[in-house]
Amino acid sequence: MTHYGCSPWLDRFPKSRVPSFPRHRGHLERAVVVVGGGLTVCATAYAFAAAGIGVAVVEADRIGRGTSASAAGWIADDPGVTFVSMEQAVGRRSARQAWQAWRRAALDGAAVLRRLGVKCDLEASASVTIAATSEQITRLKREQKARRDAGLDAPLLTARAVSAEAALASGGGLRGRDGATLDPYRACLGLAAAARERGVQFFEHSPVKKITFGRKAVDVRTAGGTIRAEQVVVATGVPTALFASLQRHFWFRSAYLALTGRVPAKIRQQLGTRATVVRDSGDPPHLVRWVDAERLLVMGADRESPPDRLREKTTIQRTGQLMYELSTMYPDISGMIPEYGWDAAYARTADGLPYIGPHRNFPRHLFAFGDSSHSVTGAYLASRMLLRHYLGELDPADELFAFTRNVR
């Protein structure tokens, strides 16, 4: 039986261990209010609290049970768009800085989870982006050259190496070295627990109704009261109705994911090392990784987000499509029934990079919107950038993620 509309990260987590936070009621004053409840919010709350800043988090539903719990559970060392396209959009120097910032975030984000002892099945994992057709091979070689010309690491794998590692026929692949896999829901809860230990107050079932700002403070009105702060951080992934004027910067899309049942041991032995995350060069691309070393997860079939009334039907259809496409990659699993099929909504910007930082029309606001990388690296990247914005200690690369960045 397939479980549709629910990720395995949520479904397998013991109900008795799901944390519960109170609703916000009355008046509260803090230095910073963070709106949202996903990985970016929890990482940001922890980063601010570790810097000695008083934080309150308000989430409309439950902590960690939104888009973060629908993720593929991959820490990628690249931003999910080609270097060639990014170079065309922002120039070589800026593209290199963005690439380097993403790689540092991948390494540092994993290091923070390890240091905090967050139990989220974190495992270091290499990745490979493969090419199958002659056109894809040409693009892959162009991508490698562009990265090397910019001084970035870009090892090219031969077709034989890809076959040995991932049991896939291809014309070669580009290696990524510094990624990892994890359970994104457990990672979110772990960061929330670490933030709470440092004094962060979390409120669930507390939707924000209105935000007003003045010269010295911002007031966040929830269904149960108000919170006054110096700054509000809005990290809801996509602009909500409160920020409808910002929605023009984004395309709203959904990716789809399917997780197989347990692959028989005899078949698993024929499917490579099972330690590598594989991404193909399709449009949209597929992402394939192993879960528990026994199940295959495939992500892809991206499309414009359907209306809510069609969401369930679309998820069922796309799950079947993904399982078929996975079987064309690994014919030995043909006929397997997926255990889970679900969707993951996201917002995409024109150049593929998220917007992180202030917007001139919203004083005392900081935003984190538009991560379309299909990895969770952007959560840690945003947490550090948002803290630097608050402290006024920006890095040169931070401007590349600003609303004011120049796109050619």
Side-chain angles (χ1 to χ4, degrees):
M1 176 181 175
T2 303
H3 302 274
Y4 290 108
C6 179
S7 77
W9 325 120
L10 281 179
D11 195 50
R12 296 178 180 179
F13 192 84
K15 303 297 186 290
S16 61
R17 292 177 52 197
V18 176
S20 178
F21 300 99
R23 297 175 187 268
H24 172 253
R25 299 185 188 281
H27 182 73
L28 181 67
E29 294 193 6
R30 284 291 180 270
V32 175
V33 182
V34 186
V35 179
L39 262 170
T40 300
V41 165
C42 293
T44 299
Y46 174 77
F48 276 64
I53 300 164
V55 178
V57 172
V58 287
E59 158 62 19
D61 194 357
R62 302 291 301 277
I63 295 296
R65 300 182 73 86
T67 302
S68 291
S70 298
W74 179 37
I75 297 177
D77 61 359
D78 70 67
V81 295
T82 66
F83 187 85
V84 169
S85 64
M86 191 180 298
E87 184 178 19
Q88 291 172 347
V90 299
R92 176 177 295 178
R93 180 181 178 183
S94 294
R96 180 175 63 247
Q97 289 178 324
W99 218 263
Q100 291 169 335
W102 207 275
R103 177 178 176 272
R104 286 195 303 270
L107 293 169
D108 294 346
V112 166
L113 290 171
R114 292 190 182 97
R115 178 170 55 80
L116 293 175
V118 176
K119 296 179 180 180
C120 58
D121 301 325
L122 179 66
E123 295 286 346
S125 177
S127 64
V128 59
T129 300
I130 64 171
T133 68
S134 58
E135 181 181 352
Q136 290 176 357
I137 294 169
T138 299
R139 290 203 305 265
L140 193 74
K141 291 180 177 178
R142 187 184 305 130
E143 175 73 6
Q144 185 206 27
K145 183 179 185 303
R147 293 190 197 181
R148 283 190 168 178
D149 289 347
L152 299 172
D153 185 40
L156 191 67
L157 299 184
T158 65
R160 178 176 295 182
V162 172
S163 179
E165 189 167 327
L168 290 170
S170 74
L174 267 181
R175 162 72 76 214
R177 302 184 190 275
D178 300 312
T181 56
L182 79 174
D183 180 323
Y185 181 56
R186 289 176 182 266
C188 192
L189 294 187
L191 288 170
R196 195 177 190 185
E197 288 178 2
R198 289 183 174 266
V200 175
Q201 291 180 274
F202 285 85
F203 299 100
E204 294 181 326
H205 303 296
S206 302
V208 174
K209 300 296 185 180
K210 188 176 182 180
I211 300 176
T212 57
F213 53 84
R215 287 192 307 109
K216 296 183 178 180
V218 60
D219 289 312
V220 177
R221 182 174 297 279
T222 69
T226 58
I227 306 175
R228 172 160 288 191
E230 299 172 1
Q231 197 102 37
V232 59
V233 175
V234 182
T236 49
V238 301
T240 64
L242 292 176
F243 306 100
S245 63
L246 299 182
Q247 293 178 358
R248 62 186 175 84
H249 293 285
F250 306 93
W251 287 266
F252 297 92
R253 297 179 61 79
S254 292
Y256 295 84
L257 301 93
L259 182 70
T260 70
R262 183 176 177 274
V263 178
K266 184 176 181 180
I267 296 177
R268 295 200 305 269
Q269 293 170 4
Q270 301 171 15
L271 300 184
T273 64
R274 288 175 284 144
T276 300
V277 176
V278 176
R279 180 172 52 191
D280 67 17
S281 300
D283 184 20
H286 294 91
L287 175 72
V288 179
R289 81 170 184 92
W290 286 89
V291 176
D292 304 329
E294 294 185 333
R295 294 167 171 81
L296 272 169
L297 182 152
V298 57
M299 181 180 197
D302 299 36
R303 56 160 286 172
E304 181 180 351
S305 294
D308 287 343
R309 61 185 174 80
L310 296 178
R311 183 178 175 185
E312 181 179 359
K313 179 180 179 181
T314 304
T315 298
I316 294 172
Q317 186 270 326
R318 293 278 160 157
T319 298
Q321 176 184 336
L322 281 173
M323 288 300 295
Y324 167 75
E325 291 168 354
L326 183 63
S327 71
T328 64
M329 301 171 72
Y330 293 113
D332 287 338
I333 71 157
S334 181
M336 287 195 66
I337 303 299
E339 279 194 5
Y340 294 89
W342 70 103
D343 64 344
Y346 65 94
R348 182 180 173 85
T349 63
D351 58 13
L353 291 180
Y355 285 118
I356 303 170
H359 190 282
R360 64 181 182 179
N361 293 342
F362 297 93
R364 298 193 172 274
H365 288 62
L366 294 172
F367 298 102
F369 292 147
D371 186 353
S372 58
S373 67
H374 293 342
S375 76
V376 299
T377 310
Y380 184 80
L381 178 79
S383 73
R384 304 310 301 177
M385 285 188 181
L386 292 166
L387 178 60
R388 290 195 292 268
H389 276 287
Y390 179 80
L391 297 174
E393 301 174 355
L394 299 183
D395 285 349
D398 294 350
E399 184 60 30
L400 305 174
F401 297 87
F403 281 94
T404 55
R405 65 179 179 254
N406 293 320
V407 179
R408 295 176 177 177

